[in-house]
Amino acid sequence: ETLRFSSFEPPVAHVTKEILTPWAEDVSAASDGELTIQMFAGGSLGRNPAQQLQLVEDGVADIAWVIPGYSPGRFQESTVAELPFLIPSSTAGSPAMWKMYEDGHFKGDFDKLKMLGIFVSYPNSIASRKEVTVPEDMNGLKMRAPGPTMLSALEALGSVPVGGITGPTVAESISRGLIDGTFTQWGAIETFRMGDVITHFNTAPLGATPMLVVMNKAKYDSLSDKAKAAIDKFSGATFSERFGASFDANIAKARDELLSKGTITVVEPDETQLEQWKEAVAIATQQWIEQNENGQAIHDAFVKAVAEAQGTN
Amino acid sequence: MENIERRIKGVARVVALIGFFGLLLLAAMTTLDILLRWLFNAPLHGVNDVSSVVMAIVIAACIPANLAMKQNISVEVLGSIGGARTRRVLDVVASLFTLVFIILMAWRFVPYAEGLRETGDRTWVLGWPIWPWWMAASALMIAAAIVQVLVTISDIATLILGGPDEAEPSEPTGGDAIL
Amino acid sequence: MDPLLIALVGFLAMMVLIVVHVPIGVAMALVGVTGFASIVGWGPAVTLMATEPASAMANLDLAVIPLFMLMGSLAAAAGLASDVYNLANALIGHRRGGLASTTIVASAGFGAICGSGVATTATFGRVAMPEMLERGYRPDLAAGSIAAGGTLGIIVPPSSMMILYAVLTEQSVLDLFSAAIVPAALAVIFYMIAIQVKLTMDPEAAQRGERATMRQRLHAAGQAWGVIVLFVVVMGGIYSGIFTVHEAAAVGVVFSFLLLVAKGRFTWNTLIGVLAEASAGTAMIYIMVFGATIFSYFMAVSGAAAFMVGAISGLPVPPIAILVLLLVLYIFLGAFFDEVAAMVITLPLVIPLILSFGYDLVWWGIINVVVIGIGMMTPPIGINVMVLNSMYRSISLGTIYRGIMPFLIAELARLLLLTLFPQLTLWLPSVLH
Ligand code: NA
Ligand code: NA
């Protein structure tokens, strides 16, 4: 049987080429000919990142790489990973995300689909065309509007959120001065060719981007035991570890390449400054806890899960 | 019959006008947002949220009038080679296929909007529920399907009973809005 | 059945539907759904009938089209075309073939605030034609310069065609707009050369006008402030980064509306006419986009694009030969089909091909727009020619097509140049990045 795996990313982009495609090959190989997972990259089954979830729900694709942030109101619990100063890396964060799901902290939409993998990106920091060292430097800066989780923090910093800027248009928006900067990480800076337009990168970890690989539940249930076993073998915690390791390796590679050109100054806040940043963006965490059911419990469990995942690495 | 048709077309036109008046207002809101951002560094909140949901209705509002007035991009070479009767047969064929198309769309839009209600999808910044907007768009799609039923009946009637021979060449601006 | 065979049958079925007058968007959608269903199943297939239209309707890049349409309609209603025309006339009207050159320059100027070629043609059909006929220009030259100038509506950014291409191929609208600037300037220059060549061979086709005085020139410039401000605000705003393309279009709408009021031309009837025109055009484009995106799903699951790329790249021919063949095919199809339809229908197959050759999709987009511009003035169905013919029944199609010839040759020369030297197109966006 052939399963259709949709990715909105071009086939040469890191996650699709180095993580999802090899995963699909591994599962196909392990199924002893029961399964062929065919990649539909570059949005050939749906260009819009926000649409990927719907593709799986409708059965247009069987499996898809989904960014919950594009479907506000859904997978709400997973947005805990978007909070600042929680996630140190994809390697630690991704297994922690899976643990949260396994322990039943992620519910709702998570139960409606077959979860194959739950991950987070490397944490986002401030990439800008002006020097940003302390929180006060953010005052008056025009920033690409982030999702709801970090929006309040951005405003608390005195920045001006500018909406309607998509990943592919970030670089030109910065170069033309429409925005002064954005929350992002090295991989995205390379993918979206922001390297030539930003001058500074402040490494304070201001939250990460949750990501999922989901499968249509009915489709999964219809498969033979052998096929299910092949999928299960490479899914869950295993997939999270695989994703995290590869994602972080790519970040390191992208950072080295970008920094070798000498056009970007990395600003690493010291202990005192980090405390200032923590305080300045604390409102995001506070609001998240207030606005989400069991917010405090999920938050605390996540802190613990990340610490555990970090300990085992 | 002719009377009903004319009235339906009139209503469809008014709906499209209201929709596009909405677009004018969206443009004004966007401009205000830019002005505030530019002058005071204080943009309006969630302008894109409003735009994306209102746009759905603006576009859906144009579709009944589009079908009522048969303003779609088509290649009408065969009809202009053949005679009046050929053209009428082709009109019926085109109308029937268009009817299938719009009925499929209207039929799928309702569960789509319903699905958005169940999953609770919201806009990015303002957190507005999305489904009511898509429900309204679905209603406009249903209206468009009704319009197309009438257009198809009228085309069939013209084929069987004959009717005013539309000798006028098809309006050149009709098919090429994009150009 | 083999998916590739299904794709072939689907393609043929779509052609048949289009030939029997089924609207192109409708034909693509129905064939797309049926084809997708025969490979994947009806359940998932029919959901495409809602999800794809919905995602187009919520797409703010695509929303730029109705906004620019509204802006163009408002600008025309505000009489901005006459203002540009008078200014161009005061500056170059006294030269040999001055009014024809004026028409070209003014069309380019109006094209910079209007995204539609047909609207540009119709507008200058009203503004420039009486002027030229009155001054003893031969109808073929007069009509030829207006119909050719009209193509500048889509060749000079903003352009609905570029936005449509950008959305369907996921390119940046701004990249296309900036890539179009050098080619657009070339179009104006080539058209002016065409006029001079024509007049060298046929000096009687036009009379010289009088040179405007400095006072008259300043007056014309003063009258044209609306266009100039609109252009500076919209295009200046986009390129300088004060706003995005979508925001620029919105600002353009508001600004041209204010100009309509400021020029004392606002009536409720005018506004209704403008809204009706823009909404009619919008629905057509969206229905075509619905069809195109649904159809591209079918092409994707069938594997037809990958198969074609494999087959063609295996041929012992250089990529550029394939591309030239493709362009000839489009122009040929345009004779009895419709270039826009031909382009949209073949995109899911052609884009992977262009990418596999290592060419730039922005460049290909500009090339496509040039081809479509050529189609707008070539017989038997050149839309610009039809528009003029419907406005001036006394000028026959034959006369207009005769008038088009020098401009058509200029356009083919420009197409060749842009095809052979992609850097002409790609240089400016690379500088702006
Ligand atoms: Na234009
Ligand atoms: Na043509």
Side-chain angles (χ1 to χ4, degrees):
Chain A
E1 186 156 12
T2 303
L3 296 180
R4 293 177 300 281
F5 190 156
S6 170
S7 163
F8 56 88
E9 253 192 347
V12 293
H14 178 80
V15 171
T16 301
K17 182 168 174 239
E18 305 292 345
I19 303 178
L20 304 182
T21 307
W23 179 88
E25 283 162 2
D26 287 349
V27 174
S28 303
S31 73
D32 267 344
E34 290 265 315
L35 281 181
T36 314
I37 301 186
Q38 195 183 355
M39 288 302 297
F40 285 91
S44 52
L45 279 186
R47 310 149 195 280
N48 185 348
Q51 203 182 4
Q52 302 298 313
L53 184 57
Q54 184 92 37
L55 291 179
V56 173
E57 287 173 332
D58 290 342
V60 171
D62 302 308
I63 305 174
W65 180 32
V66 170
I67 314 266
Y70 285 114
S71 315
R74 309 202 53 186
F75 305 102
Q76 180 56 31
E77 298 95 330
S78 73
T79 58
V80 67
E82 295 173 5
L83 293 174
F85 291 98
L86 287 187
I87 292 195
S89 65
S90 181
T91 312
S94 299
M97 291 293 274
W98 185 261
K99 179 105 187 359
M100 290 293 283
Y101 169 67
E102 240 176 9
D103 291 350
H105 291 293
F106 291 173
K107 292 192 288 273
D109 289 299
F110 287 90
D111 296 335
K112 294 177 193 151
L113 292 144
K114 170 73 186 169
M115 289 291 143
L116 302 183
I118 308 180
F119 335 108
V120 279
S121 69
Y122 191 82
N124 296 313
S125 297
I126 300 162
S128 56
R129 53 173 201 144
K130 293 191 176 148
E131 184 173 344
V132 173
T133 311
V134 290
E136 289 72 38
D137 296 333
M138 292 289 284
N139 196 17
L141 280 200
K142 293 195 289 290
M143 294 285 288
R144 176 190 183 198
T149 309
M150 284 302 286
L151 191 61
S152 54
L154 198 59
E155 285 178 333
L157 288 166
S159 300
V160 182
V162 179
I165 297 169
T166 56
T169 60
V170 171
E172 73 184 36
S173 302
I174 295 176
S175 77
R176 292 182 302 116
L178 182 61
I179 50 174
D180 298 312
T182 180
F183 291 145
T184 190
Q185 28 81 3
W186 294 107
I189 293 178
E190 188 170 58
T191 305
F192 295 125
R193 293 186 288 180
M194 281 182 262
D196 300 330
V197 297
I198 62 163
T199 56
H200 288 81
F201 188 86
N202 183 313
T203 60
L206 300 178
T209 310
M211 294 177 258
L212 317 167
V213 169
V214 302
M215 183 170 178
N216 184 301
K217 209 168 196 172
K219 187 74 187 188
Y220 177 81
D221 291 338
S222 77
L223 295 176
S224 67
D225 287 342
K226 207 169 172 187
K228 280 183 193 160
I231 293 176
D232 293 346
K233 184 178 171 200
F234 292 96
S235 302
T238 321
F239 202 174
S240 292
E241 277 161 31
R242 177 181 194 158
F243 186 98
S246 179
F247 199 94
D248 285 348
N250 181 54
I251 292 282
K253 192 168 132 269
R255 177 180 51 212
D256 291 348
E257 267 169 34
L258 287 159
L259 291 182
S260 71
K261 293 179 192 157
T263 55
I264 304 172
T265 310
V266 175
V267 181
E268 291 197 45
D270 60 29
E271 286 299 318
T272 342
Q273 286 166 340
L274 276 180
E275 283 308 314
Q276 291 172 352
W277 278 103
K278 263 186 200 171
E279 202 174 313
V281 297
I283 185 165
T285 308
Q286 189 192 324
Q287 281 194 352
W288 193 91
I289 290 173
E290 279 167 17
Q291 287 165 0
N292 286 279
E293 207 180 317
N294 300 328
Q296 190 69 54
I298 295 173
H299 176 265
D300 295 348
F302 191 57
V303 172
K304 202 162 144 250
V306 173
E308 275 169 26
Q310 215 171 353
T312 59
N313 277 307
Chain B
M1 181 72 219
E2 216 169 285
N3 223 333
I4 300 176
E5 208 188 322
R6 195 170 312 145
R7 198 168 296 170
I8 294 273
K9 280 185 187 177
V11 173
R13 224 177 98 96
V14 170
V15 169
L17 285 178
I18 295 173
F20 255 62
F21 198 75
L23 185 62
L24 209 55
L25 295 181
L26 276 186
M29 180 188 70
T30 307
T31 307
L32 184 66
D33 174 46
I34 298 161
L35 277 178
L36 290 173
R37 181 175 83 213
W38 189 45
L39 297 176
F40 307 109
N41 242 5
L44 292 176
H45 240 234
V47 166
N48 280 293
D49 281 21
V50 180
S51 290
S52 62
V53 290
V54 176
M55 265 326 277
I57 296 189
V58 169
I59 303 305
C62 305
I63 292 180
N66 168 272
L67 296 178
M69 290 184 262
K70 296 195 180 185
Q71 287 168 317
N72 266 307
I73 306 183
S74 53
V75 178
E76 309 201 328
V77 180
L78 197 57
S80 59
I81 299 170
R85 189 161 171 82
T86 314
R87 203 169 60 230
R88 282 177 192 162
V89 172
L90 294 177
D91 277 350
V92 171
V93 171
S95 289
L96 282 171
F97 276 103
T98 309
L99 183 61
V100 174
F101 165 80
I102 191 68
I103 286 179
L104 274 176
M105 242 171 86
W107 170 55
R108 293 314 310 171
F109 254 76
V110 178
Y112 176 76
E114 185 57 30
L116 291 174
R117 193 174 67 82
E118 278 165 16
T119 55
D121 281 37
R122 289 169 178 277
T123 66
W124 218 36
V125 175
L126 297 177
W128 290 0
I130 295 177
W131 70 269
W133 304 89
W134 289 100
M135 221 28 128
S138 306
L140 288 162
M141 293 296 173
I142 294 170
I146 295 170
V147 167
Q148 186 60 26
V149 168
L150 288 166
V151 168
T152 310
I153 292 174
S154 145
D155 282 349
I156 294 173
T158 314
L159 175 66
I160 296 170
L161 308 171
D165 193 39
E166 295 162 61
E168 59 190 287
S170 51
E171 275 286 295
T173 48
D176 296 78
I178 188 70
L179 300 174
Chain C
M1 229 199 309
D2 181 53
L4 275 175
L5 192 62
I6 298 178
L8 185 67
V9 172
F11 222 92
L12 292 175
M14 183 177 62
M15 287 303 172
V16 170
L17 286 184
I18 290 173
V19 167
V20 298
H21 289 205
V22 175
I24 288 156
V26 172
M28 293 182 90
L30 292 180
V31 170
V33 164
T34 312
F36 193 85
S38 60
I39 298 171
V40 177
W42 278 104
V46 290
T47 63
L48 295 176
M49 290 300 291
T51 52
E52 281 314 295
S55 107
M57 286 157 76
N59 182 338
L60 289 187
D61 281 335
L62 204 54
V64 173
I65 293 184
L67 285 170
F68 273 129
M69 281 190 162
L70 206 48
M71 168 174 154
S73 292
L74 285 166
L80 299 188
S82 315
D83 296 343
V84 190
Y85 182 81
N86 292 337
L87 177 59
N89 192 15
L91 295 176
I92 58 172
H94 59 282
R95 293 167 188 269
R96 185 169 77 155
L99 285 185
S101 307
T102 296
T103 303
I104 298 298
V105 170
S107 296
F110 189 69
I113 53 172
C114 171
S116 151
V118 170
T120 307
T121 308
T123 305
F124 285 96
R126 268 193 303 273
V127 173
M129 185 72 96
E131 200 88 9
M132 282 193 269
L133 295 182
E134 206 170 283
R135 302 268 188 92
Y137 272 59
R138 272 226 303 272
D140 62 332
L141 176 60
S145 59
I146 294 171
T151 64
L152 294 170
I154 61 161
I155 286 167
V156 176
S159 157
S160 297
M161 199 56 232
M162 288 175 204
I163 302 165
L164 179 69
Y165 178 90
V167 167
L168 291 179
T169 62
E170 293 192 290
Q171 298 301 302
S172 137
V173 175
L174 183 67
D175 275 353
L176 268 126
F177 281 6
S178 38
I181 290 177
V182 172
L186 283 177
V188 173
I189 295 169
F190 277 34
Y191 282 164
M192 307 274 256
I193 295 174
I195 293 170
Q196 294 308 318
V197 171
K198 157 103 184 164
L199 287 175
T200 307
M201 297 188 331
D202 185 4
E204 296 304 306
Q207 315 303 323
R208 256 172 210 275
E210 275 166 42
R211 181 187 282 271
T213 62
M214 199 34 122
R215 221 183 118 90
Q216 284 167 319
R217 285 181 179 177
L218 287 177
H219 179 75
Q223 288 293 304
W225 65 271
V227 187
I228 296 168
V229 172
L230 189 56
F231 174 77
V232 168
V233 167
V234 172
M235 285 298 133
I238 293 182
Y239 294 119
S240 72
I242 295 175
F243 30 76
T244 63
V245 176
H246 179 261
E247 290 171 341
V251 171
V253 167
V254 171
F255 219 87
S256 41
F257 180 77
L258 293 178
L259 283 173
L260 182 71
V261 176
K263 297 212 157 227
R265 286 174 178 246
F266 176 86
T267 65
W268 284 103
N269 272 336
T270 312
L271 182 63
I272 286 173
V274 162
L275 292 178
E277 190 177 285
S279 74
T282 298
M284 282 182 227
I285 291 168
Y286 273 79
I287 287 179
M288 184 143 101
V289 171
F290 297 168
T293 49
I294 293 170
F295 185 71
S296 74
Y297 273 76
F298 168 36
M299 286 292 122
V301 287
S302 73
F307 173 79
M308 238 189 60
V309 170
I312 290 182
S313 52
L315 295 175
V317 221
I320 191 76
I322 308 268
L323 293 189
V324 171
L325 194 71
L326 211 52
L327 294 178
V328 172
L329 186 74
Y330 279 161
I331 293 176
F332 176 72
L333 270 179
F336 55 93
F337 206 69
D338 176 302
E339 283 85 0
V340 180
M343 187 195 94
V344 171
I345 289 168
T346 53
L347 273 184
L349 297 177
V350 169
I351 293 306
L353 199 63
I354 302 292
L355 284 175
S356 79
F357 289 163
Y359 281 100
D360 193 291
L361 286 185
V362 169
W363 166 77
W364 183 248
I366 300 299
I367 295 289
N368 268 305
V369 173
V370 177
V371 168
I372 285 161
I374 290 174
M376 291 172 79
M377 48 181 180
T378 41
I381 356 175
I383 184 72
N384 285 2
V385 178
M386 305 305 231
V387 168
L388 276 185
N389 180 245
S390 72
M391 292 173 76
Y392 295 94
R393 286 288 178 201
S394 59
I395 306 178
S396 72
L397 284 177
T399 309
I400 308 179
Y401 281 127
R402 189 146 28 84
I404 283 285
M405 279 312 149
F407 299 102
L408 192 56
I409 295 167
E411 267 305 79
L412 290 172
R414 187 171 73 104
L415 178 61
L416 191 68
L417 201 63
L418 294 178
T419 308
L420 294 180
F421 302 102
Q423 58 271 36
L424 286 172
T425 306
L426 297 174
W427 171 73
L428 198 56
S430 74
V431 171
L432 287 177
H433 252 296

